[in-house]
Amino acid sequence: MNGKYLFTSESVTEGHPDKICDQISDAILDEVLRQDKNGRVACETLTTRGLIFVAGEITTTGYVDIPGVVRNLLKEVGYIEPSYGFHFDSSAVITSIQEQAPEIAIGVDKGGAGDQGMMFGYATDETPEYMPMPIILAHKLVRRLAEVRKKKILDYLRPDGKSQVTILYENGTPKTVESVVLSAQHNPGIPQKKIKEDLIETVIEYVIPKEIRSKKMKIFVNPTGSFTIGGPQADTGVTGRKIIVDTYGGVGSHGGGCFSGKDPTKVDRSASYFARYLAKNIVASGIAKKCEIQLAYVIGQKQPVSIMVNTYSTGIIPEEKIVKIIRENFDLSPRGIIEKLELLRPIYRKTACYGHFGRNEKEFTWEKTDSVKIFKNAGGA
């Protein structure tokens, strides 16, 4: 886009109700993969005051103590005080699990996709992470918020929280942070003035570099004035309800499928990861400044029915040529993606909060730039 415009992205903490559900679904997936790397998992979670409901289709030779997994996760997240209105040890855990439908298994067992659909991956050179700046800063704010809570730098904080960052762009380039929103659950009786001063000092100024702060940057901390009731006590959570937080913060397209609770035979997850891998390597190679990849699959079929590349007019070679490079150098079957990215590992609980992309931890193999030379050489960059 040309000219000046504002773009906003948000993120949430690991104690947010929806993120609790994503983490539970992925923690159950991890436990299946620890025991049975060929296990099939499609696991959904719902949580509300005093209740966690886990449902879905799981086929495995292992055994998962689902209530135990749930309670351990809630304890790690920080729901350890009855006064929070939601407690790891006293909330009810209900399960309804069945096996994967045999018709789906027939297609998946021979290496085909576990479902139809279209998946997108995106990358941009506007940050070192090859991610849009608004979502990266929003994630960093809530990760820091969780850190100051867990380290008791601010011992009055509770697990729930959200962030929002608005960036001023000029001709597609991020310039300044125009506004920051930080909502942090806290104990009763803490003055709003103290909360705002503490969070500005320990979180916002810690995360947002001074050189990109607008001179008129607006800061909103707990905009309603108080945030004591939070988590599942205040809001029902469901797996897969933060798909924009999980991806690119609203930049680019989204196929609609969530990631958490799905084993990698589900292309909603694995093909989205590989589309990101391709887009990131394309941008890192220098043949485009921005790139979006779309992959589309048919249930039971091995190869995608379509590949689309969009470089937003920043590419130095035609997009059709990039598609040709992808087809000639990468196995886009679900099995090929799983092998390339080593996706049959118990790595998924970590992905379930603070974004699936733009992270350099060892689990995130789709963030590697080990295919840069393929695009550089083929593109003549």
Side-chain angles (χ1 to χ4, degrees), residues 108-128:
V108 174
D109 288 345
K110 65 180 184 182
D115 203 351
Q116 69 176 47
M118 60 282 186
M119 298 83 209
F120 291 89
Y122 179 83
T124 172
D125 66 356
E126 66 187 61
T127 63

Side-chain angles (χ1 to χ4, degrees), residues 342-362:
E342 303 174 79
L343 296 180
L344 294 178
R345 297 171 295 145
I347 59 172
Y348 295 104
R349 186 254 169 113
K350 197 172 188 178
T351 70
C353 52
Y354 310 125
H356 292 247
F357 308 121
R359 297 167 64 175
N360 293 321
E361 293 106 310
K362 64 181 180 180

Side-chain angles (χ1 to χ4, degrees), residues 6 74 121 125 133 143 161 218 300:
L6 299 173
L74 295 176
D125 66 356
M133 186 178 287
R143 288 194 82 163
K218 298 176 182 177

Side-chain angles (χ1 to χ4, degrees), residues 243-259:
I243 60 175
I244 300 304
V245 170
D246 286 343
T247 52
Y248 308 101
V251 177
S253 307
H254 199 294
C258 79
F259 304 150

Side-chain angles (χ1 to χ4, degrees), residues 132-378:
M133 186 178 287
I135 189 65
I136 280 292
L137 291 178
H139 285 325
K140 288 180 178 179
L141 285 168
V142 285
R143 288 194 82 163
R144 175 61 178 170
L145 183 61
E147 181 182 30
V148 298
R149 170 177 63 88
K150 290 181 172 182
K151 291 183 177 179
K152 299 192 181 298
I153 296 170
L154 300 178
D155 61 2
Y156 56 78
L157 292 179
R158 293 182 174 187
D160 201 356
K162 302 180 80 170
S163 68
Q164 185 172 288
V165 177
T166 300
I167 303 284
L168 172 66
Y169 282 77
E170 292 183 13
N171 298 321
T173 301
K175 294 297 183 180
T176 53
V177 179
E178 295 296 302
S179 69
V180 174
V181 182
L182 194 62
S183 296
Q185 188 188 12
H186 58 87
N187 292 338
I190 311 298
Q192 167 68 5
K193 184 173 183 291
K194 175 176 173 54
I195 295 171
K196 185 171 184 177
E197 289 174 351
D198 286 349
L199 292 181
I200 289 174
E201 179 184 352
T202 64
V203 179
I204 295 173
E205 291 182 348
Y206 183 91
V207 168
I208 308 294
K210 190 173 183 180
E211 60 270 20
I212 64 169
R213 298 177 207 158
S214 166
K215 292 180 181 178
K216 298 180 180 180
M217 186 176 81
K218 298 176 182 177
I219 296 176
F220 303 90
V221 173
N222 288 358
T224 62
S226 180
F227 185 9
T228 58
I229 302 173
Q233 182 186 17
D235 190 17
T236 299
V238 181
T239 297
R241 207 158 57 177
K242 287 290 178 285
I243 60 175
I244 300 304
V245 170
D246 286 343
T247 52
Y248 308 101
V251 177
S253 307
H254 199 294
C258 79
F259 304 150
S260 291
K262 296 177 181 178
D263 74 78
T265 66
K266 280 72 171 174
V267 283
D268 274 347
R269 182 167 220 155
S270 53
S272 294
Y273 287 1
F274 205 69
R276 160 64 178 176
Y277 172 78
L278 292 171
K280 184 175 181 179
N281 276 269
I282 288 167
V283 174
S285 75
I287 65 171
K289 296 176 71 63
K290 296 180 181 180
C291 183
E292 181 177 87
I293 306 282
Q294 186 207 57
L295 303 174
Y297 289 83
V298 175
I299 188 168
Q301 300 300 305
K302 294 181 180 180
Q303 295 298 326
V305 292
S306 70
I307 304 171
M308 184 277 295
V309 173
N310 181 4
T311 61
Y312 301 88
S313 301
T314 68
I316 64 173
I317 63 173
E319 289 160 347
E320 309 91 80
K321 185 173 182 179
I322 300 176
V323 171
K324 188 171 184 289
I325 296 168
I326 292 170
R327 287 191 182 277
E328 291 177 350
N329 290 277
F330 299 94
D331 182 355
L332 299 177
S333 68
R335 187 168 291 167
I337 291 171
I338 288 168
E339 290 176 359
K340 170 68 176 174
L341 299 182
E342 303 174 79
L343 296 180
L344 294 178
R345 297 171 295 145
I347 59 172
Y348 295 104
R349 186 254 169 113
K350 197 172 188 178
T351 70
C353 52
Y354 310 125
H356 292 247
F357 308 121
R359 297 167 64 175
N360 293 321
E361 293 106 310
K362 64 181 180 180
E363 293 88 352
F364 294 71
T365 50
W366 48 94
E367 292 297 314
K368 290 182 178 180
T369 51
D370 54 358
S371 291
V372 162
K373 284 186 179 179
I374 293 174
F375 293 104
K376 243 180 197 176
N377 294 340

